[in-house]
Amino acid sequence: MILSVEQVTIGSRQKKLVQNVSLAIQKGEWFALVGQSGSGKSILSQAVGQMLAPGLNVEGNIFFNGQNVLELSKKEMRTVRGRKLSYIFQDYQGSFTPFRTIGQHLDEYQKAHGIHSPQARMAGVREALQSVGLSEELAGRYPFELSGGQLQRVSIATALLLAPDLVIADEITTALDSVSGNQILELLARRQQETGCAILFITHDWRHVRRYADRIAVMKEGEIIESGGKHRILDHPQHLYTKQLIKAAPVLDHRLPSGLQEEGKA
Ligand SMILES: Nc1ncnc2c1ncn2[C@@H]1O[C@H](COP(=O)(O)OP(=O)(O)OP(=O)(O)O)[C@@H](O)[C@H]1O
Ligand SMILES: [Mg+2]
């Protein structure tokens, strides 16, 4: 087991935002977390990496690789985050500093995680870009010189570079058009197969859930109301809210995304 969230409650001073949530993610699985806006998906995922905004308190246990992350110091957590646990966000632009090139970003990420040899880091930059189908030449460019899809590819490359055990992907296609979004997920799925990481995948898009998830948990108003294997949830939802969510989703489309090879080869 990679991640075990046990009876976690997250609250601000005013109210409880996540209540008594438990979930477990196995090695290498794609775990989809779905549910209405504001139901607590993001803050739950942030609690796993001690990324919560100040003022939010967590109770319960969160075991990552057998270690209770809620008991780790900030410093200890920093060694886990990035190496063993990494995040990809919807707001990819916010993950990049405008005045640093893509190569510098990838270099600094490796340096921050203990890769001391400049040669090894240079090789890492090349490998990272290659791993997501981007030309090495992009290393010399600034973030604003890349498209949203290309930047999100760099985010994936970065998040998976050090072969983490768990990648948390929070609505990573929301800011992209649907073709780019599909390509990004195909790429994430390929990199997942190559590295064997587990993925905690937060989304509102049921097409992506059907295509990639192994298991699904549904959140509503801070609680997990239903969870189980993909087919059980999609084809035999028990909870009225899950039924409504699935019914409201656009018609599920199984077609393969196209053009994965072409996009981004600048
Ligand atoms: N720093 C914070 N302080 C107080 N309340 C917060 C804070 N961050 C989030 N919240 C509240 O916690 C609740 C859950 O927010 P969260 O961002 O986890 O929802 P979500 O399920 O990710 O929604 P979406 O699908 O829109 O991204 C919301 O009511 C939100 O307003
Ligand atoms: Mg969210």
Side-chain angles (χ1 to χ4, degrees):
M1 182 128 44
I2 293 294
L3 181 72
S4 177
V5 170
E6 298 175 359
Q7 300 188 319
V8 162
T9 293
I10 304 172
S12 66
R13 209 170 295 150
Q14 289 80 24
K15 63 171 187 167
K16 298 232 184 303
L17 304 166
V18 164
Q19 291 219 53
N20 210 18
V21 161
S22 298
L23 62 84
I25 300 183
Q26 311 292 335
K27 192 169 184 292
E29 91 173 327
W30 188 301
F31 190 99
L33 188 58
V34 297
Q36 69 190 157
S37 224
S39 57
K41 305 181 296 297
S42 292
I43 57 171
L44 178 62
S45 73
Q46 287 158 10
V48 173
Q50 285 193 13
M51 305 265 284
L52 280 174
L56 296 183
N57 295 309
V58 192
E59 291 161 38
N61 293 310
I62 301 178
F63 290 99
F64 175 68
N65 273 338
Q67 216 173 14
N68 192 346
V69 296
L70 301 180
E71 289 171 358
L72 297 181
S73 67
K74 291 256 178 271
K75 194 172 163 211
E76 287 168 328
M77 193 67 221
R78 269 199 298 274
T79 65
V80 173
R81 220 169 39 221
R83 270 217 175 259
K84 294 286 171 204
L85 163 71
S86 61
Y87 283 86
I88 313 169
F89 297 106
Q90 168 184 349
D91 173 27
Y92 46 82
Q93 271 150 340
S95 319
F96 294 91
T97 311
F99 312 113
R100 296 220 171 93
T101 62
I102 298 301
Q104 282 170 326
H105 278 93
L106 285 163
D107 184 69
E108 278 160 24
Y109 186 81
Q110 295 176 83
K111 209 191 276 178
H113 292 102
I115 301 184
H116 301 299
S117 145
Q119 285 84 358
R121 292 202 302 271
M122 229 147 74
V125 171
R126 275 199 301 272
E127 187 192 307
L129 291 172
Q130 264 171 19
S131 73
V132 294
L134 292 173
S135 147
E136 276 178 39
E137 180 216 322
L138 292 197
R141 293 213 203 158
Y142 290 92
F144 63 85
E145 297 177 305
L146 270 64
S147 72
Q150 287 173 324
L151 279 180
Q152 202 55 311
R153 276 170 190 245
V154 177
S155 306
I156 292 178
T158 311
L160 279 96
L161 184 60
L162 304 176
D165 295 316
L166 177 66
V167 175
I168 295 180
D170 191 352
E171 297 200 41
I172 63 173
T173 62
T174 310
L176 301 172
D177 66 77
S178 82
V179 173
S180 307
N182 289 344
Q183 290 170 343
I184 284 296
L185 291 185
E186 280 298 294
L187 183 61
L188 181 60
R190 176 162 66 69
R191 292 294 291 138
Q192 180 195 24
Q193 293 215 319
E194 287 164 0
T195 63
C197 66
I199 294 181
L200 173 57
F201 180 66
I202 300 173
T203 186
H204 288 281
D205 193 327
W206 287 90
R207 292 172 312 142
H208 295 150
V209 173
R210 185 173 284 275
R211 184 165 171 78
Y212 298 106
D214 298 306
R215 286 193 303 134
I216 303 171
V218 183
M219 281 189 85
K220 181 171 187 271
E221 292 165 12
E223 293 180 68
I224 289 185
I225 54 160
E226 182 161 8
S227 65
K230 168 167 71 180
H231 296 292
R232 216 282 283 143
I233 299 283
L234 286 176
D235 302 331
H236 306 286
Q238 304 291 305
H239 202 286
L240 178 63
Y241 175 69
T242 313
K243 290 179 191 172
Q244 288 168 343
L245 266 188
I246 294 174
K247 207 166 159 200
V251 178
L252 294 167
D253 181 352
H254 303 279
R255 277 174 305 178
L256 265 175
S258 57
L260 182 64
Q261 303 310 318
E262 275 70 45
E263 205 254 351
K265 290 243 173 190

